[in-house]
Amino acid sequence: MIDVERIRRDFPILGREVYGKPLVYLDNAATTQKPQCVIDAISEAYCNENANVHRGIHFLSQQATDMMESARDKVRQFIGAGSTEEIIFTRGTTESINLLASSFAQAFLREGDEVLISGMEHHSNIVPWQIQAQRYGFRIRIIPVTDLGELDMDAFKALLNPKTKLVSITHVSNVLGTVNPVLEIISQAHSHGIPVAVDGAQSVPHIKVNVQELGADFYAFSGHKIYGPTGIGVLYGRKGLLEKMPPYQGGGEMIKKVTFEKTTYNELPYKFEAGTPDYIGSIALAIALDYVQGIGMDAIAGYENELCKYAIDRLNDIPGMRIIGNASDRSAVISFLVGDIHPSDMGTLLDRLGIAVRTGHHCAEPLMDRYGILGTVRASFSFYNTKAEVDALVAGIERVRLMF
Ligand code: PLP
């Protein structure tokens, strides 16, 4: 059970007002707010534990290194990975997928090969592949999305062929809220010997993820979307694949030995972590993961699902409401349009009522094209949101609708 009033007190920002109205924060898919324990962890680390990691023999450096490495182990345990060698710290999902695309393409992709993505990908899981496709000449193929907002699984199976070298797919759509059947996708791909990368930006904060049970070969997520700080993220990769992939960037910490003639690279995961890492970010991320585990991922998923169902029911009572994405398995992200009100008009007027939603294409322009729309209004929920906030959203939309 979620005690939402108690939880809300952990998040200082939720107590503030905007334009003299209580803040109703429904932009959690873009970033989540931070509990006091995460804010304190950052402050505490800078006040008491700050020194550059890995390179120092002095006390503080050792301590900061130990804290960063135990944060890595926390991430490993949180996503059910087998080894910390498979946990690479990055700046976020975008950097994780850029690293993957760059290194995987260099190691494995050639002209004539195919990488399969879907029609509901965030630009972060499209553009990095396009950049590498220009370099290496492989082809990007697209799994179509149905009217309901689900992946067309028959089309997916038909697209798998001997040229397919990787499937890279989002676990949860940041626009439609669809939870994709990644277990089935992975088992289908694996039956053809094809590895699968999963964009977990919108899944890890909301549902229990175990990369080994899923069988994922790569899995990416962002700290700031799971109540942690900005600037820190994770790429999980299967050791056997990471070992065959070249480094993404060169510099400090990713080397074993450098001469002007030849450089040998460090072991995993350091081979992929050039330069001073955001060790304070890793430490605070681990605190955020402890925090959500303290609430419980099953309790979070249960509460958010109930809130989402309540929101959909209430929104559907609004005349002219069109919800984009009605998948049978969904997460607490709802995109909608009301009559012919422009999403940015709706968003701006809701903002004046203290209600923070996101409007626009949500970095998924091909998906907007699929539905023949320019953008949507998106409300995205967290376990700290309440039914009263859903009611405020519905009342706000009604008010805006009557103005038009
Ligand atoms: N993938 C998905 C599905 C997302 O929703 C987002 C962010 O909204 C990203 C990738 C990119 O995440 P970040 O900006 O944290 O790198």
Side-chain angles (χ1 to χ4, degrees), residues 235-248:
L235 176 67
Y236 159 80
R238 208 185 274 280
K239 189 176 170 192
L241 287 166
L242 291 177
E243 276 172 343
K244 295 193 184 99
M245 288 159 52
Y248 174 50

Side-chain angles (χ1 to χ4, degrees), residues 157-224:
K157 286 169 206 161
L159 280 163
L160 294 174
N161 75 80
K163 290 185 262 177
T164 318
K165 292 291 158 26
L166 183 76
V167 177
S168 189
I169 193 94
T170 194
H171 196 159
V172 172
S173 162
N174 66 312
V175 176
L176 310 167
T178 310
V179 181
N180 285 319
V182 287
L183 191 64
E184 189 189 340
I185 290 169
I186 291 168
S187 86
Q188 284 286 339
H190 282 182
S191 70
H192 291 76
I194 303 162
V196 179
V198 183
D199 172 350
Q202 299 295 345
S203 50
V204 172
H206 304 287
I207 52 183
K208 196 182 258 171
V209 168
N210 184 303
V211 291
Q212 290 191 94
E213 281 169 17
L214 286 174
D217 299 281
F218 300 97
Y219 203 99
F221 70 96
S222 300
H224 70 98

